[in-house]
Amino acid sequence: MSIYGPYEQILSNILSLTTDRIKELNQQTVQQPKLYEHLIARVKTSESMAEKCQRKGYSVSTESALRKCRDAVGIRIVCNFIDDIDRCLYQLRQADWCEVIKEKDYITNAKPNGYRSYHVIIDETVPYQDIEGNNPGHFYVEIQLRTIAMDSWASLEHEMKYKHNIKNPERIGRELKRCADQLASCDVQMQTIRQLINSSEEGE
């Protein structure tokens, strides 16, 4: 039986609803570059959520899955440039259908292995009853924001993490860290070029 109990289908509905709401934010940016390049969305599998509850020392229950763990629903927003991440964050903070309740900036403060991303947890108001009986209900959604370069690196790092019997893992880790630093530098350079292009157009 799913750890989500009767909320399993509701989580799928919330995933679709949140994706549509983010797409709508993109459509509202009139006469501006698009907010993001693409979205990736998922509901964490029941097995993965149960494993997380155990790892965190929580009871393996629907309440733990929906309230203590806040990433049952997850959406990744992949942007072209760093300042697009800032624009997305601004739109999320201004949205009337959710409240940003937690933020982790792994772009300014990258993880030791080189991982870069911006994580937020939102408390989203949805037209479904929640576990406390509220309707409209409140459900948590984790949103990760990255540039294309950050996302490509994270995919490679994830691939390495789940492969067994890798030769020279220390060397691969060092190369990944070096690659992460180089990609971060490229992101900054591309942002600078974009700003120069925009300032040139404004000066005409």
Side-chain angles (χ1 to χ4, degrees), residues 76-91:
R76 187 179 306 147
I77 303 177
V78 181
C79 302
N80 284 309
F81 299 92
I82 294 172
D83 67 349
D84 293 333
I85 293 175
D86 295 332
R87 292 167 59 220
C88 285
L89 287 168
Y90 176 81
Q91 293 290 339

Side-chain angles (χ1 to χ4, degrees), residues 82 107 116 149-150 179-189:
I82 294 172
I107 297 176
R116 288 174 168 84
M150 293 173 197
C179 180
D181 293 340
Q182 290 171 341
L183 288 172
S185 178
C186 285
D187 268 336
V188 172
Q189 288 175 317

Side-chain angles (χ1 to χ4, degrees), residues 47-192:
E47 294 76 15
S48 293
M49 179 57 76
E51 186 277 329
K52 180 173 183 177
C53 288
Q54 291 175 329
R55 178 163 37 88
K56 294 284 188 180
Y58 305 146
S59 62
V60 181
S61 65
T62 302
E63 183 176 5
S64 294
L66 297 181
R67 286 296 177 253
K68 293 184 178 179
C69 299
R70 300 178 176 182
D71 62 345
V73 177
I75 295 179
R76 187 179 306 147
I77 303 177
V78 181
C79 302
N80 284 309
F81 299 92
I82 294 172
D83 67 349
D84 293 333
I85 293 175
D86 295 332
R87 292 167 59 220
C88 285
L89 287 168
Y90 176 81
Q91 293 290 339
L92 287 171
R93 291 170 183 143
Q94 298 300 310
D96 58 6
W97 45 267
C98 71
E99 179 184 359
V100 177
I101 61 171
K102 188 174 182 179
E103 303 186 32
K104 284 189 176 181
D105 184 357
Y106 295 119
I107 297 176
T108 304
N109 304 296
K111 290 187 177 182
N113 67 348
Y115 175 86
R116 288 174 168 84
S117 187
Y118 201 104
H119 295 192
V120 300
I121 303 293
I122 62 170
D123 179 345
E124 183 173 7
T125 304
V126 297
Y128 306 103
Q129 183 170 304
D130 63 26
I131 199 166
E132 285 89 17
N134 303 305
N135 196 352
H138 289 262
F139 286 81
Y140 296 121
V141 176
E142 181 188 57
I143 299 178
Q144 299 177 354
L145 301 104
R146 304 173 180 171
T147 63
I148 294 172
M150 293 173 197
D151 193 52
S152 297
W153 183 93
S155 296
L156 182 60
E157 193 270 343
H158 184 270
E159 184 179 326
M160 188 194 92
K161 185 184 296 183
Y162 290 95
K163 282 201 172 182
H164 303 290
N165 303 319
I166 293 179
K167 296 180 180 178
N168 301 317
E170 294 82 8
R171 180 185 175 188
I172 293 173
R174 289 195 300 271
E175 292 296 329
L176 273 170
K177 176 62 167 62
R178 187 189 312 177
C179 180
D181 293 340
Q182 290 171 341
L183 288 172
S185 178
C186 285
D187 268 336
V188 172
Q189 288 175 317
M190 288 192 294
Q191 181 65 60
T192 301

